Amino acid sequence: MNVGFVSRLLSGEPVIGDANAHRIAPANGSVVIQGDHYGRGMIPRDRRAHPKIYGAQPFDMELIPESEWAVMLEQQEKEKSSLTDQILEAGLPPLNQQQTSFCWANSSTMVAQILRMQEGEPQVPLSPASVACPINGFRNQGGWCGQSITRIADNGIAPQSLWPANAIDRQYFTDAEQAEAAKYRIQKWIELGNRNFAQVATCMLKRKPCAVDFNWWSHSVAAIGLVRNKDGTWGLRIYNSWGTTFGTNGMAVLTGSKMVPDDAVCGEIIMAKAA
Amino acid sequence: MTPAFPVKQTINLALIALLVWLHFGGGGVLPLAAGPIRVLVIYDTVEQPINATSVIHYLRTHCVKDGDTAAFRQWAATVDATNESPDFKKLFALPRTKLPWVFIQSQSGKVLSGPLPAVIDDQLALFKKWGGP
């Protein structure tokens, strides 16, 4: 079957679909999907308690019809102008949550770092722990991406120079840290519909990073690109928070039912902040 | 007989007008000397206008450096730039009539101001005109 345009994958990039989701062996041979060596920590959002994400804009972009996805994606890959291309060009490294249960803060923090990259701001490694700890009372507990992005919008994120990425420790929660974190606030973000892949795809084609929660994985990651598979179906490129040993430098492609997030927020504007 | 507009005074006035015109970038059409530049692009929130890595790479390598970072920014028109450098805040405050809009500042401080082309090749051509090959 000729499906026309097919995306180019990164070298050795794993494709995680319905058939192989529980044992993915990347180039280095380790099983990565279960997070044997890394934490996860996404707790599904209680939609009765939180029907809306506080402060989020509703999805107001014009939805790009699926019939146009392949043409747009082919053009972006040809021009090397996709969000993935931009991340690779900038050399923005993945986060590494190590053994913490803070994936849900890492995904939103990565969105913030990508937005800064797109604005041309200096690369400042930001601390997911500075987002998660005040929410969870400095306990190593899970959460969902809407919680973390709301915290980032209200209070910002501390640079890792003031609060190490995975440090669960009150000593870093100081007035000086909070003053600096407030300079790294997301100004505008959008709540996407529950399990609405068309909205996610539109964000990807408009090069807007999303934090995405997957109930099947109990994990939250950053979504950074749409992918056209060999069989004509679609995939979602993710940027995980398990360091560079996961996938290809932290990136992988989810397909089938595995690519549809149960919860998602799209970052749009972050405060401009020079070094 | 004394002329109504003495020649010397007229020449002086013309020179002053020329200097003022030059100082404000010659209405956006005066060629700047090609060299390291500072670039600010302003857009509405729908989509960032500079996305091609060829253009981004050019700007990263041809803009002046603020510390380790190239002096290239692209901001939504509603961005909070309170914590940015004075150089970019000055450009952000300059008038613009539509979006996306670009300000290109030479090292001498002259500013080119105008609408940003939509096509990648035109964007590159514009930046190369002021930032060099």
Side-chain angles (χ1 to χ4, degrees):
Chain A
M1 183 178 71
N2 181 8
V3 299
F5 165 72
V6 174
S7 290
R8 61 172 186 272
L9 296 180
L10 306 174
S11 175
E13 187 174 30
V15 177
I16 303 166
D18 293 323
N20 63 354
H22 298 288
R23 285 197 76 80
I24 294 293
N28 65 10
S30 61
V31 175
V32 294
I33 202 70
Q34 299 284 20
D36 292 349
H37 307 295
Y38 298 100
R40 287 179 282 172
M42 196 284 291
I43 296 174
R45 165 185 172 189
D46 181 345
R47 287 182 174 271
R48 279 184 301 179
H50 304 283
K52 269 184 63 67
I53 299 175
Y54 166 74
Q57 303 283 319
F59 186 88
D60 57 358
M61 285 180 253
E62 190 177 339
L63 206 60
I64 299 171
E66 187 174 352
S67 58
E68 296 176 16
W69 294 359
V71 173
M72 290 183 71
L73 191 57
E74 184 174 15
Q75 181 71 14
Q76 289 185 9
E77 291 194 15
K78 186 177 159 194
E79 295 170 347
K80 287 190 177 292
S81 68
S82 70
L83 181 52
T84 303
D85 289 317
Q86 292 175 10
I87 291 169
L88 294 171
E89 195 276 338
L92 182 68
L95 291 167
N96 189 339
Q97 69 182 93
Q98 297 178 346
Q99 294 299 315
T100 70
S101 299
F102 291 165
C103 64
W104 52 284
N106 278 262
S107 58
S108 297
T109 300
M110 179 49 75
V111 166
Q113 293 195 164
I114 292 170
L115 291 175
R116 282 181 55 79
M117 175 205 77
Q118 290 180 308
E119 286 183 2
E121 302 293 344
Q123 273 191 31
V124 176
L126 299 172
S127 169
S130 75
V131 177
C133 284
I135 295 174
N136 278 352
F138 291 81
R139 290 185 296 269
N140 186 15
Q141 288 184 340
W144 45 283
C145 64
Q147 285 181 297
S148 55
I149 207 156
T150 302
R151 171 82 196 175
I152 293 170
D154 289 345
N155 302 90
I157 318 175
Q160 291 182 17
S161 57
L162 293 180
W163 191 321
N166 300 308
I168 304 174
D169 192 329
R170 289 179 192 274
Q171 69 164 306
Y172 300 111
F173 194 48
T174 64
D175 290 345
E177 175 273 324
Q178 288 179 69
E180 190 63 15
K183 297 172 185 171
Y184 296 88
R185 277 179 282 144
I186 286 181
Q187 277 182 249
K188 185 182 177 191
W189 72 104
I190 297 165
E191 179 178 358
L192 275 57
N194 176 230
R195 297 188 63 78
N196 190 327
F197 190 75
Q199 290 184 353
V200 177
T202 295
C203 290
M204 296 297 102
L205 290 168
K206 289 183 177 290
R207 307 169 178 95
K208 294 180 186 295
C210 296
V212 286
D213 290 356
F214 296 101
N215 290 355
W216 67 268
W217 201 358
S218 299
H219 197 34
S220 183
V221 294
I224 59 166
L226 187 65
V227 170
R228 174 83 157 173
N229 301 318
K230 284 179 189 168
D231 61 0
T233 60
W234 299 100
L236 183 68
R237 178 169 285 122
I238 58 163
Y239 210 11
N240 202 349
S241 51
W242 291 348
T244 55
T245 56
F246 172 82
T248 299
N249 198 36
M251 297 181 187
V253 174
L254 302 181
T255 63
S257 67
K258 297 290 182 283
M259 72 179 180
V260 183
D262 297 278
D263 220 341
V265 287
C266 165
E268 196 154 70
I269 305 173
I270 192 166
M271 293 171 75
K273 163 75 172 70
Chain B
M1 190 174 110
T2 308
F5 295 99
V7 174
K8 194 175 171 187
Q9 198 175 344
T10 307
I11 291 171
N12 284 343
L13 281 172
L15 279 172
I16 290 168
L18 179 63
L19 287 172
V20 169
W21 187 73
L22 287 170
H23 178 76
F24 287 103
V29 294
L30 184 73
L32 308 174
I37 48 179
R38 177 177 299 276
V39 173
L40 175 62
V41 171
I42 303 170
Y43 65 97
D44 60 23
T45 57
V46 175
E47 195 167 0
Q48 287 178 323
I50 293 184
N51 289 297
T53 51
S54 57
V55 181
I56 295 169
H57 180 76
Y58 175 85
L59 291 169
R60 281 196 211 283
T61 52
H62 287 75
C63 284
V64 294
K65 295 280 197 253
D66 292 336
D68 294 334
T69 307
F72 154 60
R73 303 284 191 277
Q74 55 177 338
W75 292 344
T78 54
V79 78
D80 180 341
T82 310
N83 298 302
E84 255 293 348
S85 70
D87 289 330
F88 275 115
K89 282 201 269 197
K90 276 183 201 162
L91 291 179
F92 195 44
L94 290 175
R96 52 191 186 257
T97 54
K98 61 184 288 194
L99 296 174
W101 194 262
V102 63
F103 296 107
I104 305 174
Q105 186 175 38
S106 73
Q107 281 194 298
S108 67
K110 293 191 178 77
V111 177
L112 174 102
S113 166
L116 180 76
V119 179
I120 292 171
D121 289 347
D122 295 342
Q123 291 174 352
L124 259 182
L126 174 69
F127 293 130
K128 283 182 175 175
K129 188 173 178 183
W130 312 114

